[in-house]
Amino acid sequence: MRSSAPWLLAPVAGALWAACFGREPLAVAPWLALVPLFLLLGAARSRLAAFGLGWLHGLAFWLTSIPWIAPTLETFGGLPAWLAVVLLVALALYLGLFTAGFAALGSPLWQRGGWPALAGLPALWVSLEVLRGWLFTGFTWNLAAYAWTAVPGALPLAAWLGVWGVGLLAVAANAAVAFAFGSRPGRRRARPAVAVLLAALLLLPLAGRFAVPPGRLGPEAELATSRPVRIVQPAIYNQVTYDPEVARAGYERLLRLSEQACDLPGALVVWPESAAWPFELGRDPELDRGLEALVERSGCSLLLNSTRRTSGPDGEDRYFNAVYLIERGGAAGHYDKRHLVPFGEYVPLAGVFTFIDRLARSAGDYSPADEIRLLPWGAEQLGAAICFEVTFPGEVADLVQAGASVLVTVTNDAWYGDTAAPWQHFQAARWRAAETRRPMLRAAITGISGVIAPDGSVRQSLGVGEAGVLRARISGRRDLSPFARAPWAVPAAAGALALFAIVASRRSRP
């Protein structure tokens, strides 16, 4: 390539990869969208050049795949448009460092070629994704495997390998294509590349057929063991300036939909995150009376989100973002959110970041829970994940290891409007269901709500902006998938393989 061509190709390649994380999952493009990045590794004349090309690729990827952050900061954070864009670019520059690190560490592997490249590069990518999901509280958005959501067999395969293992396979397939058709004729060795592609093409249909044992797949559950569930999506949008009449109208719509949903005794009705705002359970008599009347009259159970307050050892109030299970007689249990959103639900190093406005209701006030609580619903144990938590594979696996037979996630994606964000968030929920072989109920205040089967397939859903009720029957599962038993296994193996490949590449130059 000419000296300037790689630098022009890098941002275009990053945007191409970002297109695989849009509103609609793609089936073919994710097999090819990372190929230009590997070709850039071959064009880089030094590690520093590879680092720069990777950073440019990553910057373009994040700016293109999460642009909704800027208008969210402007609309609900009250920031000037220019500052919101600056903060988005700053986040993209940070996240782009992981692609830069991949390119710098991976360029010697690519130059060496052969099996060390085809095995070591995907392992390195996954290792850096795991690091991104842990560093500075973690950001697990748009993992490589999510690009394969529409690829047949990919979601069921997650029950064995998890999102990290499927991501490794996705990156390996792209590397194989790039390796087979690279620009250096002397480095073309098709056999390893063909072997990798054939392995992927064999694993995917096998996973689709055998990864999830038959039975108990949502609507196909046996009526003798299944129970009715109702998901309420009230389409209540967040207010920039509080208007009590608008809030009242939204609350009344929520109650009307809930009365329609409570049509069977014993049904579980799930409200989204923030659905009852500004009312607070236990502190607003109107909400308490409304819930009591609804539950007592219909005999249904209700899962809702509300702030929970306690007094700490120092006598000061502590606030938790919680979900409650309400049944006849009162609350049957609660779950407190364990993984809070930085600068949303709390402010890291608050003494340093005093200039940052609160970007969410009560931001900076919440405390994280230090234990897992399951919610007993008849014979089922509900494992809850509030909003951002569902993007963390290991934390959802913790719920299943603790005994959760059904997964429930509630979220308020109204912050992001009708953008790609709700769809990206919804895809993460599908992968958590597939990894753990658990039915997943997702309630989103403005969408996307859905009933997700244990193989990750969507049985019912409501799109962005729709108001309504989803009705289904589900039966929980108690078997543990290989991933749920050991969610650390693939990341550990990938880290070891990446380290071995990097060390080996230093000892043997092409």
Side-chain angles (χ1 to χ4, degrees):
M1 292 186 183
R2 293 182 178 179
S3 58
S4 61
W7 301 96
L8 297 174
L9 175 61
V12 176
L16 176 66
W17 178 231
C20 298
F21 299 85
R23 295 169 181 260
E24 296 295 333
L26 305 176
V28 177
W31 291 78
L32 305 170
L34 272 181
V35 169
L37 177 60
F38 292 108
L39 299 181
L40 288 171
L41 298 184
R45 298 181 179 179
S46 66
R47 281 179 181 266
L48 183 60
F51 181 91
L53 290 170
W55 203 359
L56 195 55
H57 181 284
L59 174 63
F61 168 75
W62 289 109
L63 288 177
T64 310
S65 63
I66 57 172
W68 39 265
I69 286 182
T72 300
L73 293 175
E74 179 184 358
T75 302
F76 298 107
L79 301 181
W82 67 267
L83 181 55
V85 172
V86 167
L87 291 176
L88 170 61
V89 172
L91 176 61
L93 285 169
Y94 161 68
L95 295 172
L97 287 173
F98 292 94
T99 311
F102 169 79
L105 294 172
S107 58
L109 284 175
W110 181 259
Q111 296 290 345
R112 182 180 180 184
W115 286 109
L118 290 176
L121 285 168
L124 176 60
W125 182 282
V126 168
S127 299
L128 290 169
E129 280 194 336
V130 173
L131 179 63
R132 170 162 64 88
W134 169 81
L135 200 62
F136 305 125
T137 78
F139 190 77
T140 46
W141 211 263
N142 288 351
L143 300 176
Y146 296 164
W148 271 27
T149 300
V151 175
L155 279 163
L157 184 59
W160 287 86
L161 302 179
V163 71
W164 313 118
V166 178
L168 191 149
L169 190 63
V171 176
N174 279 265
V177 173
F179 189 69
F181 301 100
S183 59
R184 288 187 173 187
R187 287 294 177 191
R188 287 183 188 173
R189 297 182 185 138
R191 288 183 180 178
V194 170
V196 170
L197 290 172
L198 287 177
L201 292 173
L202 178 63
L203 279 174
L204 290 169
L206 287 175
R209 176 64 179 85
F210 298 110
V212 180
R216 295 188 178 185
L217 294 182
E220 288 78 15
E222 297 180 4
L223 292 178
T225 58
S226 66
R227 300 192 65 186
V229 294
R230 307 289 186 259
I231 298 175
V232 176
Q233 181 171 303
I236 300 172
Y237 284 87
N238 298 333
Q239 297 185 50
V240 178
T241 303
Y242 177 64
D243 185 333
E245 293 185 2
V246 173
R248 168 63 60 180
Y251 178 66
E252 291 177 353
R253 185 189 316 134
L254 174 68
L255 290 182
R256 286 196 301 271
L257 289 172
S258 300
E259 289 172 356
Q260 299 171 19
C262 288
D263 54 358
L264 284 177
L268 175 66
V269 178
V270 184
W271 282 5
E273 184 184 23
S274 304
W277 186 87
F279 297 115
E280 186 177 320
L281 187 66
R283 297 180 67 88
D284 289 291
E286 181 177 357
L287 175 62
D288 296 344
R289 288 193 300 269
L291 295 179
E292 182 180 3
L294 183 66
V295 171
E296 292 293 336
R297 181 176 62 253
S298 64
C300 65
S301 301
L302 180 66
L303 188 143
L304 78 154
N305 167 247
S306 183
T307 296
R308 190 176 73 87
R309 304 188 186 206
T310 64
S311 295
D314 54 2
E316 294 185 359
D317 285 345
R318 296 182 67 195
Y319 302 89
F320 296 90
N321 190 357
V323 290
Y324 289 85
L325 181 64
I326 308 297
E327 297 184 329
R328 283 178 171 172
H334 71 269
Y335 164 83
D336 296 329
K337 191 174 184 180
R338 295 175 291 150
H339 200 131
L340 303 180
V341 180
F343 304 108
E345 293 167 318
Y346 79 104
V347 179
L349 302 175
V352 177
F353 295 106
T354 56
F355 62 92
I356 296 181
D357 291 334
R358 295 180 174 185
L359 305 181
R361 301 174 185 128
S362 300
D365 291 337
Y366 288 115
S367 299
D370 55 8
E371 64 177 343
I372 294 175
R373 286 177 176 263
L374 302 179
L375 304 173
W377 175 52
E380 308 291 359
Q381 295 288 325
L382 305 179
I386 302 175
C387 194
F388 189 51
E389 287 184 310
V390 82
T391 68
F392 292 89
E395 294 183 13
V396 176
D398 289 342
L399 295 172
V400 173
Q401 289 180 357
S405 58
V406 175
L407 297 175
V408 183
T409 181
V410 299
T411 186
N412 179 2
D413 285 347
W415 302 107
Y416 316 117
D418 190 9
T419 66
W423 300 92
Q424 293 168 350
H425 203 181
F426 185 66
Q427 284 187 9
R430 294 182 62 184
W431 283 85
R432 301 297 84 79
E435 288 167 344
T436 58
R437 292 176 179 160
R438 292 293 186 272
M440 170 80 78
L441 308 176
R442 185 177 197 262
I445 196 164
T446 56
I448 306 164
S449 299
V451 179
I452 305 171
D455 60 357
S457 61
V458 180
R459 298 309 169 96
Q460 297 183 54
S461 65
L462 284 170
V464 176
E466 295 183 60
V469 177
L470 295 176
R471 292 176 169 83
R473 299 188 69 92
I474 63 166
S475 183
R477 300 179 68 109
R478 289 167 179 80
D479 58 311
L480 290 179
S481 68
F483 173 79
R485 291 179 184 275
W488 47 266
V490 170
L497 180 58
L499 181 60
F500 175 81
I502 291 171
V503 172
S505 71
R506 291 183 175 180
R507 294 180 177 178
S508 177
R509 300 292 182 181

